[in-house]
Amino acid sequence: MMKATDMNESVPVSERTRTTEQLTERFRRRRLTSSEPNFVTVDVDDDAESFDIKRGSDGSSSPSSLSDSLRDQSRRLSLLLTRRTELYRGVEPSSTTPDPKDCGKNDSSGWNHWVNEVRLCSSHGGDYRERSRTALRTAVGSFLTFSLLVFPRQQVLGAVWIGNIFMHSNMKGSFGASLLSVWGFGQSAVLITAASWPVGNFVSSLSETQASIILPFVSFLMSFLIMTCPQLTSRNLMILVMYIVVAAPVREDIQWWMPIGYLGTYLIGMIIALLMNSANFALRSTHSNLESLEKDLTMLLNQCKAYSTNLVIAPDVSRAAAASIEMLYTRIADTVKSLKAELAASKVELLLQFKSKAANDLSEWIVAAEQLLAPLKSLRTALMQRVIGEERTVHDRTTATKEIIDHEIAPARDRMVDAMLSSIAVCHAWADPSAHRTVLPDVQGELAISIEECRRAFHQAMRKATAELKGDAEENVPVFAHLTRRTTAFNALFEFGDSLLAYLEEHSWEAEEAFDENKNETRPRTPVCHAIGSFVKFVELKWLWHQPDTFRLALKTAVGMSLASLFVSVPVLWNISEPFGIWPGLTIASVNLGTTGSSFQKAADRLSGTLLAAAYALLLSDLFPGNTDAVKVPGIAIFTFLTIYLRSDEHAYMYTYAATSIGSMLYGSVKNDFNIPEYIPKRIELIFVGVVIFSVVELLMFPRSSRKMVECLGFQFFLSVRDYLKQAARCARRMQEYVAYSVDDTMHAEALFDEADDTFHLEQLDQCHRKLKTESSKLKKELEPALNEPHLGLSMPLQRESFRGL
């Protein structure tokens, strides 16, 4: 198959433009002169990348059928490419892949459409199974939470909807992750309840007037302390826990023991979340990812061997191997990222099984795998990017150089790759907690010998290749470019092997026996000493008010909560909001974030989720009047399943809040009985009031524009790119000077080399690179909030495409 780039290079630009214009004009005339609809089909020739546009039997088409024709054309091309991909891989086309001839048939309506969509879900890359499992677990969790707290008709455990929020907040992807989350949320909820309970009792002991006066100050102080406390998890939710305990006694008759009942509700929600994930272990996913990592690393090393072997005899196979290496590197990086994300949960599950050694081995292998990504990235870059001076056409001297290198290095390279493959298998068996360990072979010595042998062979090959060069330097530029590519690739392989060797040296049988001996000599810590040490570490954490961003966020939250508490303390505002005056404060506690754009986006999602839940609650109350629990609890479960299943990444908070808000719509704020049709409009009104108070505080008192930050960071990014390129030029000149001095005066070159540890100033280049990565990460973090920030017309809006491209 002829490359598109080669075809374009063989045809002049003017000729290509003229031919394209002729085809476009001919196609336009046929469209304008046609009067009857027909279909456009596209055939792709197997021997050339060209498209043949065919007309129908009457040779005409109409603009009305153009969109359908283009849709059919795109579908045929997609299926044809799928077929060719399957044939290229050497497998028969799958039975689930329809025939391109059947693409014109209209089966996109009715029940058959959804049956086909479900049947072809795997081949289309759908995730409905995972979505269904997550939504079902969450819906069953909501059903159990409300059933346990509502059907017994108990009056001790109040604020049922907050227990549902805790259940949603701790519904993670695995049992280990949920256990970690429950531990953090449980500690925080107990600590805040213990701190708020005396304050709430003090407020309830005062008269209504006195309590109304001190409530804004108490809300300000406690909100600020919560937002700056380092020991707390989910500080916004903890403000909600505090505010209900402190603000409810001002206008309602709250018994002294009711905060303990609230805490019991929260703990029940967290326990149910843990039970919903009791059969979903992170170790299963970790085992699958470790197997994928081993297979991908094995395939990548085999593709490296194929690339080097076929570089002369079969260039097409070599290019395919390079493309496979790029794909495998991307997949390995994603797998390592998944392993790192699941590491904490997997370690918790292993510790529950009293396998601390297996947890340490897993953690160390994931760290080692993350370090292996750097040489693999260098290898991919060396193979996929064209070096300056390298020609597109085959060069005779380059071919001779390739033959010399392959002849000299082939046996040592194959031995090194085979040793690496064995080492990866041993490392996998060593680190995988689910693998049945036996006596592992000793591959450390073979790997060390093969790497050293391959290094010597490669140096010998480079000397022979450079010795064969003749003529002037201009003619040998393609050869030197190829030598640069091979040197970079082999150095990356050597670094990969050295990393594997270092890991094996740390985890040899002798090292493990020495570790066991040292472990037996040390006295184990008693549970009491361990608990005391953990408590001391917990208390010694530094408070966060010394951080500018955290201090600003805490102060903004405290001011907003103080203003929102006026709807409870001021009689006029209480008459408007009675008996649900705490909702403005709960809204501010939920939507307050660090930047203006992200906070406004969360506020909009909260309003949208509230409206969605309110509409469903009103419909449910009208269809099934009587306010019975037998209708409300299943209705909550059904609504939770639908919203969690339809949850998208862009507006995840909207769907999650709708799922949690439906409980408060049907079961109130603190008490569990009220009039639903009267409560829901008041709830929407008070949430809007909370958003307005937040907007005033955000825009007038503590403005922090995400758009301004993105503009400044974008400008600074270009300056950092300039500094990086300048430093790269300095490093290149330094290297060029060293090479020139080495040819003319070896003594002077050695003196230049010995004058400093960083001869070529690569440390400064690395600092510039880290600065670029830091600024790029900040840009990515602030970009979406900046684009979603409300535009007040005081400056030009951000260009979405430009900044996203940057």
Side-chain angles (χ1 to χ4, degrees), residues 184-199:
F185 274 84
Q187 282 184 328
S188 301
V190 171
L191 183 61
I192 293 302
T193 302
S196 304
W197 190 15
V199 179

Side-chain angles (χ1 to χ4, degrees), residues 338-396:
S338 300
L339 286 170
K340 189 176 180 181
E342 298 170 352
L343 177 59
S346 300
K347 290 177 67 175
V348 169
E349 295 176 5
L350 288 171
L351 291 176
L352 290 177
Q353 302 175 19
F354 302 100
K355 297 181 179 179
S356 58
K357 183 65 172 63
N360 293 330
D361 291 342
L362 175 63
S363 177
E364 291 173 357
W365 171 240
I366 292 177
V367 172
E370 191 176 13
Q371 294 174 353
L372 293 177
L373 293 178
L376 292 181
K377 184 177 181 180
S378 300
L379 176 65
R380 182 203 62 173
T381 304
L383 298 182
M384 297 306 299
Q385 293 187 357
R386 188 171 300 278
V387 183
I388 297 176
E390 202 169 6
E391 295 183 354
R392 294 180 179 271
T393 58
V394 179
H395 196 276
D396 294 337

Side-chain angles (χ1 to χ4, degrees), residues 480-491:
F480 284 116
H482 176 73
L483 293 178
T484 302
R485 177 193 296 275
R486 298 297 290 274
T487 303
T488 306
F490 271 97
N491 283 335

